[in-house]
Amino acid sequence: MEGAALVISGDWTLRHYGSLNQLIRGLHGKSPSNPTLDLDCLGHIDTAGASLIAKLAGSTALVQALDSADLAEEQKALLDAVAAAVPEGQFQPPKINPVAGFLADVGQKVTSISRLTWQLSGFIGETLATLFYILPRPGRWRFTPFVAAVHDTGLNALPIVALLTFLVGAVVAFLGATVLEDFGATIYTVNLVAFSFLREFGVLLAAILLAGRTASSFTAQIGAMKVNEELDAIRTLGLNPVELLVVPRVLAMMLSLPVLTFIGMISGMVGGAVVCALVLDIPPSQFMAIVERDIALKHFLVGIGKAPVFAFLIAVIGCLEGFKVAGSAQSVGEHTTSSVVQSIFMVILLDSVAALFFMEMGW
């Protein structure tokens, strides 16, 4: 754009429609009211690009510029036809009411969440139906994938779960000692550590770690199989992908997470006991005596009982996102990220609901 002239150059085709449309929106309010078009530098053009030029400068200015433009006859004919079809008037971006735009965005998010919930519910139903179908039929059990999944989700994850819960237990003990010291009640640091890890931290930390470590792995594995058309080959052979790929992973997670939860509980309490011994002069024997005296068994049962539910949801979400991969490496990455986010969100949401329920029940 120079003075009162618009210089159109380069290729105006459907391939560049998005960037050109964005450029035209940026020129809104800056272009002259009656521009003179210079089309001599115009490269390739199609109907999409011609419509943008007509909307930018107006049909009248476009027709006038064609008389002196150094263009091929087919380009002039295309521009003339588009100018006759496009209404007169320069391009005006639609004005969007901010409130309406906000409500539209909220509606899209709600619709997307509803669609995800519907898909997850359907996939959970399909997984349960397949599981109940093969349980009374030992000949259809697949031990090798199950054992491999247990090794991957359980044994390989044990060191990081133990280390993380040990460190968090030490941190909780430090914080508890700092706060309770003002009240002369540092002895209750033992109760704080044991209560928090038996009910919440043990299962929550283990589930979040598996959501980030294992759900992403399930999504990437199944997504890569879909990209390579291995899922189509499985269906062609008359096999059920849910039975072959999903059920062994779900069962492995439901076995591994309770074990990791128990390890996390013990490691967290050991971390708290170390801090109590080094900082508060509470020996391990006294620590264990307080735990045995004041912490009821129901707290352990509440924590360990949530583990299979969390494991089932994490595995199902990871497998579902793998089946939703669209066939490219970018799609694999997007759905892998989505599976981790959804798994962690569902774990925290269900843990919050369970905490409220158990509090109301007095458990």
Side-chain angles (χ1 to χ4, degrees):
M1 183 171 60
E2 300 176 356
L6 284 172
V7 179
I8 307 297
S9 62
D11 295 337
W12 288 62
T13 58
L14 181 61
R15 180 180 180 182
H16 309 290
Y17 185 88
S19 58
L20 290 172
N21 192 31
Q22 185 177 2
L23 177 62
I24 291 175
R25 288 178 180 272
L27 291 176
H28 174 57
K30 302 177 183 178
S31 58
S33 56
N34 295 308
T36 300
L37 282 182
D38 183 354
L39 302 174
D40 293 341
C41 299
L42 181 64
H44 297 287
I45 189 171
D46 58 12
T47 308
S51 65
L52 286 178
I53 296 175
K55 290 180 181 179
L56 172 64
S59 301
T60 302
L62 178 57
V63 172
Q64 293 175 352
L66 290 177
D67 296 334
S68 59
D70 184 16
L71 296 175
E73 291 300 325
E74 58 270 16
Q75 291 180 318
K76 289 185 177 180
L78 174 61
L79 289 169
D80 186 63
V82 171
V86 174
E88 179 60 37
Q90 288 182 268
F91 175 75
Q92 299 290 339
K95 295 182 179 179
I96 301 176
N97 189 328
V99 177
F102 173 75
L103 293 177
D105 291 339
V106 172
Q108 290 179 354
K109 295 293 189 296
V110 172
T111 302
S112 177
I113 294 173
S114 301
R115 187 180 301 112
L116 286 174
T117 305
W118 183 260
Q119 292 175 345
L120 179 60
S121 301
F123 192 71
I124 288 175
E126 184 178 0
T127 302
L128 290 175
T130 305
L131 179 62
F132 290 138
Y133 175 76
I134 67 174
L135 278 180
R137 298 171 173 82
R140 303 182 72 94
W141 296 357
R142 301 185 179 277
F143 291 100
T144 301
F146 171 75
V147 173
V150 169
H151 179 270
D152 182 47
T153 62
L155 186 61
N156 290 345
L158 193 148
I160 184 63
V161 171
L163 176 62
L164 180 65
T165 50
F166 176 86
L167 295 176
V168 174
V171 171
V172 171
F174 270 120
L175 293 177
T178 302
V179 174
L180 295 173
E181 185 179 7
D182 297 335
F183 303 95
T186 53
I187 192 66
Y188 289 104
T189 303
V190 177
N191 302 67
L192 173 64
V193 172
F195 186 84
S196 60
F197 270 89
L198 289 177
R199 289 187 70 98
E200 298 294 338
F201 284 162
V203 62
L204 195 60
L205 291 174
I208 290 176
L209 279 174
L210 284 192
R213 180 185 182 278
T214 306
S216 59
S217 174
F218 289 172
T219 303
Q221 290 169 2
I222 297 178
M225 293 179 69
K226 187 171 184 181
V227 171
N228 296 330
E229 300 182 353
E230 295 178 41
L231 294 182
D232 296 333
I234 290 174
R235 293 188 179 96
T236 302
L237 293 173
L239 301 175
N240 185 358
V242 175
E243 177 184 343
L244 189 67
L245 302 174
V246 178
V247 172
R249 287 174 167 83
V250 170
L251 294 178
M253 280 285 288
M254 294 181 68
L255 176 64
S256 299
L257 187 54
V259 175
L260 292 176
T261 298
F262 179 76
I263 298 297
M265 292 175 178
I266 300 301
S267 298
M269 293 174 64
V270 169
V274 170
V275 173
C276 289
L278 297 178
V279 179
L280 305 179
D281 295 327
I282 301 175
S285 58
Q286 186 179 1
F287 186 97
M288 292 305 302
I290 295 174
V291 171
E292 183 180 359
R293 183 192 65 199
D294 296 341
I295 307 301
L297 179 63
K298 66 178 181 180
H299 302 308
F300 169 77
L301 297 178
V302 166
I304 205 72
K306 293 185 287 188
V309 180
F310 291 168
F312 179 82
L313 282 175
I314 292 171
V316 166
I317 291 173
C319 294
L320 174 60
E321 290 299 314
F323 282 108
K324 289 163 62 177
V325 169
S328 64
Q330 180 181 359
S331 180
V332 173
E334 291 173 353
H335 286 285
T336 300
T337 303
S338 177
S339 69
V340 175
V341 173
Q342 291 183 47
S343 300
I344 294 177
F345 174 79
M346 290 299 297
V347 165
I348 296 176
L349 176 64
L350 285 182
D351 187 70
S352 303
V353 173
L356 294 175
F357 173 77
F358 292 137
M359 182 181 66
E360 292 295 329
M361 296 298 294
W363 294 351

